[in-house]
Amino acid sequence: MLESNYKNYKINAVENSYIEAENIVKDNNQDINNSEKLKDISNNQETSILLFDDSGSVVIAYGASESEIKISDDETYQQIRDYAPRGKIFYMTFNNNIGPMPLHDNDLKVVITDNSKEFKKISLDNVIICAKFINYKGTSNYLLVVESRLSPVAPAVATLKTQLVYISIIVIVLAVLFAFIISWQISRPLKDMTLAANQLASGKRDIKFIGRGFKEIDELNNTLNYAVEELNKTDTLQKELLANISHDLKTPLTLIGGYAEMMKDLPEENTAQNLDLIVDEVNRLNNLVNDVLSLTRLQAGTETFNLSVYDITLSLNDLVKRQNLLWESRGFNIKFEYDKNVKIEADSHKIEQVFYNFISNAINYSGDKKEIIIKQEINGDMVKFSVIDFGCGIKEEDLKYIWNRYARVDKNHSRTVNGSGLGLSIVKEILEYHHFEYGVTSKVNEGSTFYFVAAIKE
Ligand code: ADP
């Protein structure tokens, strides 16, 4: 492309020079023998400007002296002259054997000289010539010739090729270096992350995934750090759970052990009252173990639910009667308010467990106000069950924690009342399994209402 671009550039330069030179020569007011303008054109465009008279003698000559002389050589000039169509610009070339010849078949002809050793005395390489007979000093036999020599392109191309090889080598080396740096930048944090992940897998928990460099890697590190945080939380929870359960098991066991020892050593302590205490503690232990087992099975998804459509009002009536029998000796009164019997689809035993836990809590947290109301309210095709107490209530900010196992309400885990600390978590698992809406409303010192809503089945 370089060669053809260069030729086109030169052809343009010659053409432009010619047009400007012709205007100056034709302008009678200008002295063309010593024209600064022609000199400038010749210099700027690197062209030679020549004017021949009728006889072939050079009238003016600006530009390269070598081509000027060659062109003005009699014979060459004669050939141009013979070839040139009168009154028109023409471009021509010299061919080794044929002499001047056109390249195109129209009036303006682009003609480029070859290296013409054999062609008479012309020993130019490539020359572009633009010539035309023009009117000057009253005759039309003056030939204005503008020509420019084409420098040989081959050496330039060879130089460029060598340079290109060097440039290519440098670019390849730089590209390899650059690729290496970038891949190193990507792989280094990935290596660190793999190391950290391996440590995490082997049980180390104080791991930090350090973000470095690329946005995606930073994001991944943040996500992994979040995962580590969550893992740590689960670990802590598990440890807390174990500690709490151990604590809850230890207290009744110590009591049972203590009473048994005392009753063995001191026969007068062998009373029904002390035996009752032991039985109470054993029951507590039993409840605790049952709760732990129940929650574990529920959370692991291994608990089986036997769903059936049953009369929940009937079952609740029965439960309330039993609970009243159990608690009335301690002054509690559990009321059941309902309009009519309804059926729902659920696991009746599990729902009974829900009511049992709600009622136990109501009793545990009732204080002196020993009234508990269980309400059944029908609303369209839904039924709402509420267990209402008038006890100590729950602080607004604690409400969201009470459904978690070992609810944070009781931070030191020093329960003054009965309970495993798992009751509401079991309730939550059961109600969520049934997709029943549930919740609690409470006011400190006024009481709490725990409720759930189920669909009525006919
Ligand atoms: P717990 O064995 O401690 O009662 P639960 O899971 O049944 O465990 O309840 C979690 C916490 O919610 C209780 O420790 C208590 O602080 C609070 N809570 C539950 N029911 C009531 C209630 N009816 N009145 C006041 N607080 C309650």
Side-chain angles (χ1 to χ4, degrees):
M1 268 162 67
L2 184 71
E3 194 160 354
S4 66
N5 283 347
Y6 179 57
K7 269 183 187 168
N8 283 338
Y9 164 76
K10 277 292 185 187
I11 289 168
N12 275 339
V14 170
E15 204 170 75
N16 289 339
S17 298
Y18 180 87
I19 291 163
E20 287 179 42
E22 188 184 351
N23 286 337
I24 294 166
V25 172
K26 275 181 169 171
D27 186 351
N28 291 328
N29 297 326
Q30 305 232 13
D31 173 16
I32 59 165
N33 286 319
N34 208 355
S35 165
E36 281 302 317
K37 280 184 187 166
L38 285 174
K39 212 184 270 176
D40 282 352
I41 296 167
S42 161
N43 283 342
N44 293 343
Q45 309 270 19
E46 291 178 332
T47 50
S48 305
I49 302 166
L50 304 118
L51 185 66
F52 300 93
D53 69 7
D54 214 6
S55 64
S57 315
V58 177
V59 181
I60 55 159
Y62 292 93
S65 57
E66 188 193 3
S67 50
E68 175 191 323
I69 294 157
K70 296 289 183 316
I71 295 283
S72 64
D73 168 82
D74 271 358
E75 212 166 328
T76 313
Y77 168 73
Q78 205 51 52
Q79 288 197 30
I80 295 172
R81 199 183 162 76
D82 290 348
Y83 188 80
R86 300 241 145 204
K88 287 176 179 165
I89 299 175
F90 70 98
Y91 300 82
M92 58 178 288
T93 190
F94 290 104
N95 180 281
N96 291 0
N97 307 318
I98 308 163
M101 58 172 287
L103 280 187
H104 301 292
D105 217 13
N106 48 26
D107 286 346
L108 285 180
K109 298 187 183 185
V110 178
V111 200
I112 298 162
T113 63
D114 285 339
N115 187 357
S116 314
K117 277 182 200 148
E118 292 162 33
F119 184 68
K120 302 297 173 190
K121 286 165 192 162
I122 294 180
S123 61
L124 304 176
D125 284 339
N126 289 327
V127 174
I128 300 164
I129 300 170
C130 181
K132 184 183 166 190
F133 285 100
I134 58 166
N135 283 324
Y136 183 67
K137 288 190 175 166
T139 77
S140 61
N141 273 343
Y142 281 79
L143 184 64
L144 178 62
V145 176
V146 172
E147 57 94 16
S148 184
R149 189 184 170 139
L150 283 177
S151 309
V153 182
V157 170
T159 316
L160 284 179
K161 268 185 186 162
T162 327
Q163 280 184 1
L164 196 69
V165 170
Y166 287 129
I167 290 170
S168 301
I169 290 172
I170 292 169
V171 166
I172 288 169
V173 169
L174 283 178
V176 168
L177 210 71
F178 196 59
F180 183 73
I181 291 170
I182 289 188
S183 67
W184 186 65
Q185 268 199 324
I186 295 175
S187 68
R188 194 180 41 164
L190 284 179
K191 267 189 197 160
D192 290 351
M193 285 162 73
T194 313
L195 200 76
N198 280 335
Q199 287 178 326
L200 187 70
S202 63
K204 219 172 156 201
R205 286 288 184 266
D206 54 341
I207 295 293
K208 188 112 189 107
F209 288 88
I210 300 155
R212 231 181 344 214
F214 295 94
K215 197 174 123 236
E216 288 76 9
I217 289 180
D218 282 357
E219 277 170 10
L220 185 59
N221 273 323
N222 289 342
T223 314
L224 286 169
N225 281 329
Y226 175 67
V228 173
E229 258 174 49
E230 289 301 305
L231 269 177
N232 283 339
K233 268 190 213 161
T234 317
D235 273 5
T236 320
L237 266 176
Q238 242 167 7
K239 278 180 200 147
E240 269 177 26
L241 184 69
L242 206 65
N244 287 343
I245 291 175
S246 315
H247 178 271
D248 278 0
L249 286 174
K250 215 175 147 217
T251 319
L253 278 176
T254 318
L255 266 167
I256 294 168
Y259 274 101
E261 289 266 337
M262 188 173 73
M263 285 161 78
K264 192 180 124 199
D265 295 344
L266 308 166
E268 68 271 19
E269 288 294 335
N270 212 332
T271 61
Q273 209 181 356
N274 283 347
L275 274 173
D276 276 348
L277 269 166
I278 292 182
V279 171
D280 273 357
E281 289 306 315
V282 169
N283 283 340
R284 229 177 109 168
L285 271 179
N286 200 21
N287 286 342
L288 175 70
V289 173
N290 280 342
D291 276 1
V292 172
L293 279 176
S294 188
L295 185 63
T296 314
R297 276 203 299 264
L298 282 166
Q299 286 187 333
T302 52
E303 184 72 68
T304 43
F305 282 77
N306 298 314
L307 297 184
S308 65
V309 178
Y310 73 104
D311 189 331
I312 187 171
T313 321
L314 201 69
S315 135
L316 253 179
N317 243 323
D318 201 39
L319 176 80
V320 170
K321 263 183 212 150
R322 277 185 280 128
Q323 289 288 309
N324 267 325
L325 274 180
L326 193 68
W327 296 108
E328 65 192 356
S329 59
R330 298 201 193 173
F332 285 98
N333 178 25
I334 307 170
K335 271 202 258 174
F336 181 31
E337 296 177 359
Y338 65 98
D339 289 347
K340 57 170 190 169
N341 284 31
V342 286
K343 286 183 180 172
I344 64 162
E345 188 178 17
D347 181 320
S348 57
H349 284 112
K350 302 279 188 309
I351 295 298
E352 195 162 295
Q353 163 107 57
V354 169
F355 281 112
Y356 180 80
N357 288 2
F358 280 161
I359 294 169
S360 308
N361 280 345
I363 284 167
N364 281 339
Y365 302 101
S366 262
D368 296 334
K369 295 162 202 142
K370 299 194 170 181
E371 169 126 338
I372 291 158
I373 299 170
I374 298 174
K375 224 185 224 172
Q376 173 192 294
E377 292 163 293
I378 298 171
N379 187 2
D381 51 0
M382 304 301 278
V383 56
K384 181 178 181 182
F385 296 97
S386 314
V387 178
I388 306 160
D389 68 69
F390 305 94
C392 62
I394 307 162
K395 277 190 244 154
E396 175 87 37
E397 64 263 32
D398 291 336
L399 278 177
K400 54 178 178 286
Y401 298 120
I402 59 168
W403 304 96
N404 300 343
R405 53 188 181 190
Y406 294 114
R408 293 289 168 273
V409 180
D410 181 14
K411 279 205 178 68
N412 302 318
H413 193 63
S414 55
R415 246 182 303 282
T416 49
V417 285
N418 284 330
S420 62
L422 302 174
L424 288 184
S425 342
I426 292 172
V427 166
K428 177 181 161 196
E429 293 290 336
I430 293 174
L431 293 179
E432 283 183 356
Y433 177 88
H434 285 91
H435 305 292
F436 291 164
E437 185 198 327
Y438 65 95
V440 56
T441 53
S442 187
K443 260 197 174 160
V444 176
N445 294 329
E446 284 185 25
S448 316
T449 301
F450 284 84
Y451 67 87
F452 74 87
V453 182
I456 298 172
K457 297 275 169 181
E458 293 309 324

